[in-house]
Amino acid sequence: MTKILNNRFFTLILLTVIVLTIAIVWTTTYYQPKQDRTAQDQTAELGISWAYAYDNVEQLSIKADLIVVGRIAKVIAETSEGIWGAGHLYFTDFSFDVDKVLKGKEVKQITIHQTGAVGKQEVSDDPLFVPGEQYILFLHEYEDGKYFVLGGPQGRFKIVGDEVFTMNRVLPDKVVLPQGLDINGMQKTDFIDSISRQVSN
Amino acid sequence: MKSQTKTVTVRVIILVAMVTVLSIMAVSPVFAYNLWGYEWEDVDPLNYWYNYYDFEDDPDTMGCWYYSAGDWNDTGTEVNYVLISYYPSPDVRCGKAYQSGVPWDGLCSITVQGTTIIYADVTINKYYTDSYSTNKKRSVTCHELGHAVGLGDSSGAVVMNGWTSYRYDTYGIYTPQQDDIDGVNAMY
């Protein structure tokens, strides 16, 4: 031990630690590796400012017109609208098969409106639904029978097997959520029960 | 002998302290900003444009785009937003929408080739922002112009916080903050 810590060896170790410290500081502060993307045709990504934020499931439950458990059935329509002075926006409407209604009117199928379209535009932190995916969704009815998800990724809880995940767990590199909306593999039945209790209060 | 023991002890303490600091730095992020993964080849100048006639009935919103571009220019980074007429084609177009069927009040659409931004369209959603104060609108326009530069969404008291109700209502932010500036400097 004394030998290791004699002057020469100690100096060498100290220098190594200093170099490693500088390397880590530089890497984490100044260098951000680009995502591994191959060259591709021009594509568009969307960055969003969400109007409202919800701190937790309770706030989502209060604000939602409809809370449902079910599955994305299919794409109904893809539309685009010209935006004054700034190109076009694309939207996709999905039909959603409802297994269970936790709040709101009893429905079997609804339409969910989402910004973006496959291969044209996609919101970075709110990717397009994929038919077959299962979710628990907190929704606002903006037109009769037509809904959008509250707070973008906030009101969207993905079901995988018997477990529920918030979108920051599904897309950890892209989605940032408040601490109160962090669910990582909660049992679906437990999550549904907790929502039902909040809705009935 | 006593002196040698003391020297060894001091050196052990120094080494342990440095390894501890190193370990903490390795696992703790030293920044909060997020980069979108796309960059311009050059952000000086970054020519932007809005159609005066589109905003004739809403000069306040038009002003927000103008002042937010100026706010990014004032950061001292390489970003230099320059207002131009339509020809030649602008890098960034500023527009407005009225969409009731969406949860967003602002949007930035970037067109990319590989990881290079080719052009950007930034839009404000008047369905929400018509009821906002001027500074709250500026928080949206500044956020979108930050996306146009290549910044991703972040959290906390920064203009790249992805939620207007946090960014402005909670933190009162409508101009770039130091962490946002650090993010730009990391890219350019």
Side-chain angles (χ1 to χ4, degrees):
Chain A
M1 187 68 174
T2 308
K3 198 173 179 181
I4 290 173
L5 292 170
N6 75 24
N7 209 17
R8 189 179 296 173
F9 280 111
F10 177 78
T11 306
L12 186 62
I13 292 168
L14 193 61
L15 280 172
T16 304
V17 170
I18 290 170
V19 167
L20 278 173
T21 306
I22 292 168
I24 286 175
V25 168
W26 179 81
T27 303
T28 55
T29 305
Y30 296 111
Y31 176 69
Q32 277 251 325
K34 289 196 169 72
Q35 291 181 38
D36 184 21
R37 296 177 188 272
T38 55
Q40 54 189 318
D41 291 340
Q42 295 181 7
T43 57
E45 273 206 40
L46 301 177
I48 294 284
S49 168
W50 304 105
Y52 299 112
Y54 305 92
D55 291 331
N56 48 50
V57 175
E58 186 185 349
Q59 287 186 7
L60 279 167
S61 300
I62 293 168
K63 192 68 180 173
D65 298 319
L66 186 70
I67 305 173
V68 290
V69 184
R71 182 189 304 266
I72 301 290
K74 61 179 180 179
V75 173
I76 300 173
E78 192 182 281
T79 55
S80 77
E81 284 188 38
I83 300 300
W84 294 286
H88 283 80
L89 270 184
Y90 292 89
F91 302 95
T92 304
D93 286 346
F94 297 88
S95 66
F96 184 86
D97 291 336
V98 177
D99 294 329
K100 191 178 175 71
V101 175
L102 302 178
K103 180 184 178 184
K105 55 188 174 186
E106 282 300 322
V107 288
K108 288 294 179 197
Q109 195 176 69
I110 56 173
T111 299
I112 297 176
H113 187 68
Q114 201 180 13
T115 303
V118 170
K120 298 185 181 72
Q121 286 175 343
E122 191 153 24
V123 178
S124 292
D125 60 345
D126 190 32
L128 290 163
F129 289 117
V130 176
E133 287 181 332
Q134 293 180 277
Y135 286 95
I136 298 170
L137 297 174
F138 293 71
L139 302 164
H140 170 68
E141 188 175 24
Y142 68 96
E143 268 180 36
D144 189 32
K146 287 190 165 184
Y147 299 83
F148 65 73
V149 179
L150 286 177
Q154 292 181 103
R156 179 176 171 177
F157 296 76
K158 190 166 187 179
I159 300 170
V160 180
D162 291 327
E163 295 178 328
V164 174
F165 299 85
T166 43
M167 291 306 290
N168 62 321
R169 295 293 177 176
V170 178
L171 296 168
D173 293 337
K174 293 196 171 188
V175 180
V176 177
L177 291 179
Q179 262 186 322
L181 278 181
D182 185 15
I183 292 175
N184 187 20
M186 189 177 187
Q187 282 296 304
K188 185 176 89 175
T189 47
D190 292 340
F191 186 62
I192 289 173
D193 287 345
S194 72
I195 298 170
S196 299
R197 278 196 300 274
Q198 283 168 19
V199 169
S200 62
N201 281 348
Chain B
M1 191 65 179
K2 212 174 175 181
S3 158
Q4 196 177 14
T5 307
K6 189 179 172 185
T7 305
V8 166
T9 306
V10 167
R11 286 174 179 174
V12 168
I13 291 170
I14 290 171
L15 270 177
V16 168
M18 292 200 78
V19 169
T20 304
V21 167
L22 201 67
S23 304
I24 291 169
M25 291 176 83
V27 299
S28 306
V30 295
F31 57 85
Y33 61 80
N34 285 315
L35 304 182
W36 208 350
Y38 306 103
E39 292 178 19
W40 295 90
E41 282 186 352
D42 199 352
V43 287
D44 184 10
L46 208 54
N47 297 323
Y48 78 103
W49 169 86
Y50 45 71
N51 188 335
Y52 293 103
Y53 299 107
D54 286 343
F55 290 101
E56 215 169 18
D57 61 342
D58 189 4
D60 190 58
T61 299
M62 184 169 69
C64 288
W65 287 121
Y66 177 79
Y67 286 113
S68 289
D71 289 334
W72 280 109
N73 291 348
D74 289 342
T75 57
T77 64
E78 284 197 28
V79 171
N80 181 24
Y81 275 111
V82 176
L83 180 62
I84 63 165
S85 56
Y86 196 87
Y87 184 81
S89 296
D91 301 310
V92 180
R93 295 185 297 187
C94 305
K96 62 179 185 181
Y98 195 90
Q99 295 285 329
S100 61
V102 298
W104 49 265
D105 56 11
L107 177 149
C108 171
S109 171
I110 58 167
T111 299
V112 301
Q113 199 152 41
T115 59
T116 302
I117 303 173
I118 306 298
Y119 59 86
D121 289 322
V122 288
T123 303
I124 199 165
N125 187 358
K126 286 168 62 65
Y127 175 78
Y128 293 100
T129 63
D130 274 354
S131 63
Y132 288 4
S133 67
T134 300
N135 283 346
K136 190 168 178 176
K137 271 189 263 193
R138 272 176 74 172
S139 84
V140 177
T141 53
C142 194
H143 178 89
E144 299 311 330
L145 288 175
H147 275 316
V149 167
L151 289 172
D153 284 323
S154 191
S155 59
V158 294
V159 87
M160 294 316 296
N161 187 310
W163 285 273
T164 300
S165 54
Y166 287 146
R167 184 192 328 121
Y168 187 79
D169 296 340
T170 301
Y171 296 117
I173 303 289
Y174 60 94
T175 57
Q177 303 299 297
Q178 188 57 52
D179 193 73
D180 305 303
I181 294 167
D182 292 344
V184 175
N185 284 331
M187 290 187 287
Y188 307 106

